[in-house]
Amino acid sequence: MYIDLDIIKKHLNISPTYTKDDEYLEIIEDGATKAMEKTINVDFDEIIAAEGKLPSAIIFACLLIIGDMYANRETTAFASREVVERLLPHV
């Protein structure tokens, strides 16, 4: 994982002690970071090797994707074409 689960939970206002969605959040984080790598056309490992860590702007962009996917898990996949079209370029 490139983004710590505690940071994701803080961004989503989820209690650190609530663990039922942890596996799902890890899946979303993986998808969001892969989408961002594809969008910027740079592997995160290359960025970390050069800079020592991911820039906060990239982390924040990933958190926005994670938040959208977490909040709209059903509508993203089934009901809202607009959400799918907005996220599709990142996949």
Side-chain angles (χ1 to χ4, degrees):
M1 283 186 68
Y2 290 103
I3 303 173
D4 187 72
L5 189 57
D6 290 335
I7 293 172
I8 294 170
K9 286 182 172 185
K10 188 173 222 177
H11 176 74
L12 298 174
N13 293 319
I14 298 172
S15 170
T17 60
Y18 181 77
T19 60
K20 289 185 178 182
D21 282 349
D22 285 3
E23 184 178 354
Y24 182 64
L25 291 171
E26 290 171 1
I27 291 168
I28 294 174
E29 186 272 349
D30 184 58
T33 54
K34 282 183 175 36
M36 188 56 59
E37 283 179 319
K38 186 172 183 177
T39 299
I40 65 173
N41 200 29
V42 180
D43 188 87
F44 282 3
D45 290 331
E46 292 177 26
I47 296 171
I48 293 169
E51 299 182 26
K53 64 179 184 174
L54 287 177
S56 59
I58 290 177
I59 294 171
F60 186 67
C62 290
L63 287 171
L64 292 176
I65 294 170
I66 291 166
D68 187 58
M69 294 182 85
Y70 185 75
N72 300 298
R73 62 181 90 181
E74 294 297 325
T75 57
T76 298
F78 304 108
S80 177
R81 180 179 174 148
E82 178 182 315
V83 173
V84 172
E85 288 176 349
R86 188 176 72 241
L87 295 174
L88 194 56
H90 302 289
V91 178

